[in-house]
Amino acid sequence: MYHHDMMVALDSLALHTPDRFPAFPYDSPYSIQVDLMRHLYSSIERRHVTIVESPTGTGKTLSLLCASLSWLADEQQRARKGKLSQHGASASTEPAWVAAQAMQMRQRELEAQEREYEERMMRARNAEAKLRALARARVTKRRRVIVNVPHIERNEDAFLPDDSDVADEVVNISPAVRALMAKIEKNSGNHTWSEGEEPTCTKIYYASRTHSQLTQVLLELQKLRFPPILHSSLDAAKHSGTQGNEVSHRKRELDQVEVGGDDGIGQRQWRTVALGSRKQLCINEDVRSKFWDLDEMCRELQQGKVGKRCQHLPPLEEGTKMLDFRDQILAFPKDIEDLAAAGRNADTCPYYGSRKAIPQAELITLPYNLLLQKSARESLGIDLTNQIVIIDEAHNLIPTLLSLSSVSVTSTTLAISLQQVETYYNKFRNRFAASHGLHLRRLISYLQAMSKVVEEWTETKQTSTEVMSIPDYVQRLGRKVDGINLLEIETYLRKSKISRKISGYAEAVATEVLDSNHRSHVPRKLLPLQAVEAFILGLSGTREDGRIIFSSIGKEGNSEMEMKYLLLNPSTTFREIVESARSVVLAGGTMSPMSGVIRRLFPSLPQDRMTTFSCGHIIPQSHVRTLILTKGPSGSLLEFKYAQQSNVQVLKELGQVVLNLCNIVPRGLIVFFPSYSSLNFAKKIWRADRALERFEAKKKVFWEPEESSAVESTLGDYAEAVQGSSADRSNKRAGAILFAVVGAKLSEGLNFADDLARAVVVMGLPFANKNSPELQERMRYANEAEMRLGSKRDPHSKDAGSELYENMCMNAVNQSIGRAIRHRSDWASLILVDHRYSMATIRHKLPSWIQDGVCVCDTFGQAVKQLGTFYRDKKQ
C-alpha cells in the first residue's frame, strides 16, 4: 500500500505544460508566443534538445525567458515537494499524528531557509543602493596611471612554473595518494572566500554572440511579472503556523527597504549573473595599463607572487567582503557594464565576484565562447550537468564552433615560439622541477620537427595549397617525435599554463631594451606560443574530424607558409554540452534549413530527444510581399552565377532592375550582393554607363564599407537620408538605397525597421567559392560522415556535401532578408533576383513564415505590377 502511495506521489511531481503563462508581461500574448512557450516548457521538462525558429519582432527573447523561468519556478516547487515526500517516507513507520507534525516542522524549516536567503538578498539590494547613491554623490576622479614607473614589478621567480601544476602522470604518486592530497588541500582553506558548503541550484545558461545582445536579454527579464518569493513565503509561513507578530514584523522590515526606485517587492528578482573576461571586468588600472598578459598578471596578483596582492581582491581572512559583493551581484540583474561599475563602487573585483556568484545564480548570461569552449567552462567553474542551456542567435552556432576550434600558425609564429621556449628552458633549466624539464624538452623536440616540415614544404612545394589528414601530418614529423605522446604535451601545456610564463618572460626580456618612457607604446600581440598550443590541441583531438592545410600567404617576394588546423565536425566540441545538460535550446529568428543544423550538430542524438519548432510571423500576410524575379526588364533570364558577376550585359540588366525598384519602393531600399568583389565590379560598370547618376536622381546612394570602423557612420548617414526624405516633401529624392554584401557587416544583427527597409533585394545566390580547399574538405567530410552513419538518400537527390553547400548559401540569404520587418506594424517587400530561387529545393529552404506567400514572377512587368499594388495599399 505504501509503495503504491509513493508511486502516486512521484507521478504527481511531473510538471504538466501550462496553457497560460501569468508572468508574461502583456495580458494577451499572441497565439504563436503561447505556442512557443508551451513547446519550450515541455522540451525542458522532457529533457529534449530543441531548435526554435521565431522571426524577429515576435517577442522571441521574452518568450524564451518567460517559458524557461516558469519551468524553473515550478521545478523549485517540485524540489520542495520532493524533500517533503522524502521526509514523509522516512516517517512512514511513526503514528499518523507524529508523522503529520514532523511534516509540518520540515515544511516550516524549508520555508525558513527560503525566507532567510531572500532576506539576505534584500539586504544586499539595500547595501547596493547605498553604494550607488554614494557613487552618484561624489565626483569620481580616475586615478592617474604612471606607466613609466610601474607599481608592480616582476622578478624572475614570477616566471617560474608552479610545481603543483606538473602533470600528474609524470609524478610517481599513486592515484589513491593523489586523491587524498586533493581532499586535504580542499579542506585546508586554500579555496577562496568560503562560507562552508555553498548551496547550488538548477540554473539557466543563456548565451548569445555579444554582450550588447545579452544586455537586451536583461531588459526583457525586467518586464516579466513573477510574484516575489519573500512576501509569498511569509504568507505561507503565516498559514503554516508561524507567529503572526513575527511575520508582520518581517513584512514591515522589508517594506522599509529602498533600492534605487525599485524595491524588488513588486516582482521576483531572479538571481542573475553576467559572465565576462578579465579584459571586460578588471578594475585594476595598474594592471590594465601594462603591455603584458592581463590574465597571467591577474593570476599572479591573486596568489601574491609579485610581491603584493591585488587591492581589489579581499584577503582570505576578510572573506565576508567578497561574499557580500557576491550577494550584491545576485540581488539585482546587471549587465557586464553594470557589474564592472558595481565592482568599482564596492572596491571588489567583479571578475572573481561573478565567478563566486555562479553556484547560487538562477540565470547566467554569457557570450558564446565562454559556453562553447571547454577550457573557458573549466576556468569559470561552470558545470552544465542537468542544467538548461539556451543559445540565442543560434544561426551562428556552427560557424562559431568551427572557428573556435580551428587555428592557424605561420612559419614566423612557429619560429618565434621555438626561440622563446629554448630561451626559457636554457634560462631556468636548473631552477625548476625535473618533470618540467622533461616536458619542455619534449615540446622543443616537437616544435623543431614542425619547423623542419615547414622548411621542407617551402623548399619543395608543388602547389600553393596542400591538404592532409592528421595521421599524414604526424608521419611527416618523423621518427624524432615517434616516442612522444602528443596528448601528454597537450595536457601539460593546458594544466601548467606554461605558455603564459614563457611568453611573459620573452616579453619582459624584450621590454628591458626599451626606454621606459616608451613602454606604453609596445603593441599588444597575440602570444605566439598560445597559437601553437591551440594547434597542438587540434592535433591531439579526434583525428578523423580534422585536417591540416599548408598554404602560402602574403604577396610574391614577401610570402610565408601557413599551417591551419581545420575542424570539420562541429558536433565534436558540442557533444559534451548536449550530453551533460538537461535540455539544450537553439533559438534564432532564422534557423532554416533546420535539417542541416540537425545533421551537422546532432548526428547521433536519439530521435526521441530531438524536437523542432517554427512559428509564423505576428504580422498579417498583407504586410509582406515576397517576389522571385526570373526575368529582367529586357526579358532576359536573370541568373547571377559567379561567372556572370563580371558580365557587363548581366550587370547592366541588374542596373535596370535597381532603377525600376528605385522608382517604386518608398524610403529605404537595401540591395545585397553575393560578395564585395561582385558589388565593386557592379559599381564600376554602373559608374561607366552612368546608371549610378540615375540611381542618385531617385535615392541617395550608400555602399557598405569594407572597414568595420566606418559602419556606424555609414548607417547613421543612411538613416538620416531616409528620414530626411520623409520629412521634406519638396525633395525629389524618395529616400535612400544601401548596397550591402551577404554575410558581411550589414547582413546580420542590424535592425532596418520601418522606413529604413521598405524592400530588401538579394542579387543572386551567394554560394561560397567551391574551389576553396576548406570548403572541399567540409563537403567531402559530410559525404563520408553520412556513409559512416549508413544514411540512405533518394538516388535523384543531392549528396550530403552538395546539401551542405546549398544550406550554407540559404542560411546567408535568410539572414539578409531578415533585416526587414522587425515588429507587428512593420511592412516590406522581399525581392529575390535570380530564376534559381524558383526551384523547389531552394524555395523550401526559405523561412517558413514567407514560403506560402512567395510569388514567382514570369515577367518583370508582373513584378512591377505586384509591387505597385503592394505599396499603393500601404500608402492608403
Side-chain angles (χ1 to χ4, degrees):
M1 180 68 182
Y2 167 71
H3 177 72
H4 177 265
D5 291 342
M6 278 298 295
M7 292 302 295
V8 171
L10 288 174
D11 288 342
S12 68
L13 292 180
L15 299 179
H16 300 288
T17 305
D19 295 320
R20 296 178 59 256
F21 291 84
F24 198 78
Y26 307 113
D27 293 333
S28 299
Y30 303 122
S31 60
I32 59 173
Q33 292 173 327
V34 175
D35 291 343
L36 190 158
M37 289 188 284
R38 282 177 51 81
H39 171 82
L40 190 64
Y41 188 104
S42 173
S43 296
I44 295 173
E45 174 62 12
R46 296 179 183 180
R47 300 177 178 271
H48 285 166
V49 174
T50 187
I51 301 176
V52 172
E53 182 178 62
S54 180
T56 302
T58 55
K60 168 175 57 73
T61 302
L62 194 63
S63 300
L64 292 173
L65 286 171
C66 185
S68 57
L69 290 172
S70 294
W71 178 88
L72 186 56
D74 292 344
E75 161 66 13
Q76 291 168 348
Q77 290 296 320
R78 173 166 61 182
R80 179 197 285 181
K81 290 178 182 177
K83 291 176 182 178
L84 291 174
S85 297
Q86 290 176 357
H87 189 78
S90 64
S92 60
T93 58
E94 302 290 342
W97 68 271
V98 174
Q101 191 173 45
M103 184 75 81
Q104 285 186 355
M105 289 178 63
R106 179 57 177 154
Q107 184 170 348
R108 285 197 293 270
E109 286 175 8
L110 293 174
E111 290 167 352
Q113 290 172 6
E114 290 177 0
R115 287 198 302 274
E116 181 181 356
Y117 192 89
E118 287 304 314
E119 286 171 5
R120 199 176 90 196
M121 291 294 100
M122 294 301 292
R123 288 194 294 272
R125 291 183 190 116
N126 197 18
E128 185 184 4
K130 291 177 181 177
L131 285 173
R132 286 206 304 263
L134 287 172
R136 286 194 297 267
R138 67 174 181 262
V139 178
T140 305
K141 291 187 178 180
R142 185 168 179 172
R143 192 155 50 89
R144 183 169 173 259
V145 179
I146 305 174
V147 180
N148 61 337
V149 185
H151 297 286
I152 303 165
E153 293 293 343
R154 304 170 90 185
N155 58 34
E156 289 183 351
D157 290 343
F159 301 111
L160 285 170
D162 295 328
D163 289 341
S164 60
D165 289 335
V166 180
D168 289 338
E169 68 272 9
V170 201
V171 184
N172 189 21
I173 301 175
S174 71
V177 174
R178 258 198 310 269
L180 180 61
M181 291 172 63
K183 185 176 181 181
I184 292 171
E185 182 181 354
K186 182 177 180 181
N187 294 329
S188 67
N190 277 344
H191 55 306
T192 56
W193 312 295
S194 176
E195 58 175 355
E197 189 67 27
E198 272 197 285
T200 59
C201 62
T202 303
K203 54 188 91 266
I204 297 166
Y205 287 88
Y206 198 113
S208 194
R209 281 193 309 157
T210 64
H211 281 293
S212 61
Q213 290 169 334
L214 293 171
T215 296
Q216 293 299 315
V217 171
L218 296 185
L219 293 175
E220 296 295 290
L221 176 67
Q222 294 305 306
K223 297 177 182 177
L224 298 176
R225 301 186 300 198
F226 286 95
I229 290 179
L230 198 46
H231 271 206
S232 57
S233 178
L234 289 174
D235 290 336
K238 186 174 181 179
H239 291 304
S240 65
T242 305
Q243 292 294 324
N245 289 338
E246 181 185 346
V247 172
S248 299
H249 176 68
R250 286 178 181 271
K251 279 195 171 185
R252 283 196 300 274
E253 280 185 339
L254 291 174
D255 289 337
Q256 292 170 4
V257 176
E258 296 178 1
V259 186
D262 186 349
D263 59 10
I265 301 297
Q267 64 184 37
R268 176 171 180 172
Q269 296 298 334
W270 291 93
R271 299 194 299 274
T272 304
V273 61
L275 299 182
S277 65
R278 285 181 173 88
K279 183 178 180 181
Q280 292 156 327
L281 291 174
C282 179
I283 57 173
N284 188 327
E285 294 300 333
D286 279 342
V287 173
R288 291 181 66 88
S289 67
K290 301 300 181 289
F291 50 84
W292 53 61
D293 183 14
L294 176 63
D295 287 336
E296 181 62 16
M297 177 54 73
C298 176
R299 291 188 186 95
E300 292 181 4
L301 282 172
Q302 182 200 7
Q303 298 165 6
K305 289 187 176 181
V306 287
K308 62 182 293 187
R309 184 178 171 86
C310 178
Q311 66 267 35
H312 303 294
L313 276 174
L316 300 185
E317 60 270 17
E318 297 178 16
T320 54
K321 184 176 181 182
M322 178 60 81
L323 298 177
D324 288 343
F325 182 56
R326 172 205 62 190
D327 289 348
Q328 289 179 32
I329 292 172
L330 294 172
F332 197 82
K334 301 170 181 63
D335 65 18
I336 205 73
E337 293 181 0
D338 296 333
L339 183 56
R344 292 188 183 93
N345 292 340
D347 193 29
T348 307
C349 175
Y351 176 75
Y352 281 103
S354 61
R355 288 176 58 167
K356 191 65 182 171
I358 291 174
Q360 298 180 32
E362 296 166 313
L363 175 64
I364 297 173
T365 64
L366 68 171
Y368 277 178
N369 61 311
L370 296 186
L371 174 71
L372 300 178
Q373 290 182 301
K374 184 177 181 179
S375 58
R377 296 197 303 272
E378 290 176 346
S379 174
L380 291 167
I382 291 174
D383 182 3
L384 297 179
T385 305
N386 210 30
Q387 309 294 1
I388 298 96
V389 175
I390 299 176
I391 301 178
D392 205 352
E393 302 297 326
H395 62 272
N396 285 300
L397 180 58
I398 291 176
T400 301
L401 285 167
L402 294 174
S403 65
L404 286 174
S405 300
S406 300
V407 60
S408 298
V409 175
T410 65
S411 50
T412 302
T413 300
L414 184 59
I416 293 173
S417 298
L418 177 57
Q419 181 187 27
Q420 288 183 354
V421 177
E422 289 177 332
T423 302
Y424 180 85
Y425 176 77
N426 292 329
K427 174 69 179 178
F428 296 106
R429 61 190 301 177
N430 297 321
R431 297 181 61 185
F432 46 54
S435 52
H436 283 293
L438 174 64
H439 276 303
L440 288 172
R441 286 194 298 274
R442 289 173 174 172
L443 177 61
I444 289 171
S445 296
Y446 220 91
L447 294 178
Q448 288 172 341
M450 291 171 66
S451 298
K452 186 177 179 182
V453 170
V454 168
E455 291 173 9
E456 290 175 350
W457 188 85
T458 303
E459 292 171 359
T460 62
K461 63 181 179 181
Q462 302 295 319
T463 61
S464 60
T465 303
E466 183 180 355
V467 181
M468 67 196 75
S469 67
I470 292 177
D472 289 342
Y473 175 74
V474 172
Q475 187 175 8
R476 288 196 185 191
L477 293 176
R479 294 183 188 177
K480 188 177 180 181
V481 298
D482 274 352
I484 298 177
N485 187 329
L486 187 59
L487 192 59
E488 284 186 6
I489 294 181
E490 185 276 322
T491 302
Y492 173 71
L493 289 170
R494 175 167 45 84
K495 286 189 174 182
S496 68
K497 298 181 174 60
I498 192 74
S499 63
R500 293 184 178 277
K501 300 285 186 182
I502 295 171
S503 298
Y505 177 70
E507 193 167 9
V509 170
T511 305
E512 285 178 2
V513 302
L514 299 174
D515 183 88
S516 60
N517 291 326
H518 296 91
R519 287 188 182 185
S520 61
H521 301 298
V522 177
R524 300 185 181 211
K525 297 180 180 178
L526 175 67
L527 303 179
L529 189 55
Q530 288 183 350
V532 175
E533 181 181 346
F535 187 84
I536 292 175
L537 175 63
L539 294 179
S540 63
T542 309
R543 294 194 163 191
E544 64 268 19
D545 290 340
R547 297 288 184 274
I548 304 296
I549 300 178
F550 287 1
S551 58
S552 293
I553 59 173
K555 296 180 180 179
E556 190 70 32
N558 191 29
S559 64
E560 62 176 331
M561 187 266 205
E562 179 186 69
M563 293 187 298
K564 181 171 186 176
Y565 169 75
L566 182 69
L567 179 68
L568 301 174
N569 183 3
S571 70
T572 300
T573 53
F574 199 56
R575 186 181 301 123
E576 185 175 330
I577 294 175
V578 174
E579 291 175 351
S580 300
R582 176 193 180 98
S583 180
V584 176
V585 181
L586 308 186
T590 304
M591 295 300 296
S592 300
M594 289 189 189
S595 59
V597 178
I598 295 172
R599 192 177 298 112
R600 298 183 72 190
L601 278 183
F602 313 107
S604 56
L605 189 74
Q607 288 188 354
D608 60 357
R609 202 186 166 205
M610 184 79 231
T611 61
T612 62
F613 176 89
S614 182
C615 67
H617 213 298
I618 56 175
I619 63 166
Q621 279 293 322
S622 60
H623 280 210
V624 61
R625 186 63 51 88
T626 306
L627 304 179
I628 295 174
L629 273 57
T630 61
K631 293 183 180 178
S634 69
S636 60
L637 189 70
L638 290 174
E639 185 176 74
F640 200 44
K641 287 183 177 180
Y642 180 77
Q644 279 84 43
Q645 290 175 12
S646 56
N647 185 306
V648 175
Q649 287 305 118
V650 170
L651 289 170
K652 286 184 176 181
E653 185 76 356
L654 291 180
Q656 288 300 309
V657 171
V658 172
L659 183 59
N660 277 274
L661 294 177
C662 286
N663 288 325
I664 302 170
V665 177
R667 313 298 179 235
L669 171 62
I670 315 284
V671 180
F672 285 102
F673 270 71
S675 64
Y676 280 112
S677 60
S678 62
L679 177 60
N680 290 335
F681 198 83
K683 185 177 180 180
K684 177 182 176 182
I685 297 301
W686 291 341
R687 180 175 286 119
D689 73 352
R690 307 185 71 174
L692 278 183
E693 293 180 18
R694 295 189 286 274
F695 298 166
E696 283 278 4
K698 300 295 180 181
K699 292 181 182 292
K700 189 168 183 178
V701 178
F702 295 88
W703 306 88
E704 175 173 332
E706 296 193 34
E707 303 80 23
S708 298
S709 58
V711 169
E712 189 172 346
S713 60
T714 300
L715 290 175
D717 293 342
Y718 170 74
E720 185 178 344
V722 171
Q723 292 159 359
S725 68
S726 302
D728 185 4
R729 299 292 181 182
S730 63
N731 192 340
K732 293 183 180 180
R733 284 178 175 170
I737 181 171
L738 174 60
F739 290 98
V741 175
V742 173
K745 304 169 188 67
L746 305 184
S747 64
E748 292 187 29
L750 293 176
N751 185 349
F752 290 102
D754 300 318
D755 283 348
L756 293 180
R758 290 307 182 194
V760 171
V761 182
V762 181
M763 296 287 193
L765 284 156
F767 284 108
N769 179 8
K770 218 168 187 176
N771 294 322
S772 161
E774 291 188 23
L775 180 58
Q776 289 176 356
E777 286 303 311
R778 296 198 190 283
M779 293 174 65
R780 187 179 297 114
Y781 180 85
N783 289 329
E784 292 171 355
E786 188 173 65
M787 290 178 64
R788 284 197 300 268
L789 291 171
S791 303
K792 293 186 178 180
R793 285 179 174 265
D794 185 299
H796 303 293
S797 65
K798 296 182 177 69
D799 60 29
S802 299
E803 190 77 11
L804 167 65
Y805 184 57
E806 194 172 90
N807 287 345
M808 291 168 61
C809 168
M810 290 309 297
N811 183 268
V813 170
N814 293 340
Q815 288 306 311
S816 298
I817 62 180
R819 297 313 90 213
I821 311 191
R822 310 294 288 185
H823 56 84
R824 180 174 175 78
S825 302
D826 207 352
W827 50 270
S829 62
L830 309 174
I831 305 167
L832 307 173
V833 183
D834 197 304
H835 78 95
R836 291 173 293 169
Y837 281 107
S838 63
M839 297 164 56
T841 55
I842 297 292
R843 284 180 58 184
H844 290 158
K845 291 177 180 177
L846 291 169
S848 58
W849 63 275
I850 68 172
Q851 282 187 23
D852 293 339
V854 172
C855 175
V856 179
C857 299
D858 296 324
T859 66
F860 189 74
Q862 181 185 355
V864 170
K865 185 177 180 181
Q866 289 263 359
L867 291 172
T869 303
F870 176 73
Y871 288 115
R872 277 195 300 273
D873 291 344
K874 294 302 140 201
K875 187 175 182 180
Q876 292 172 1

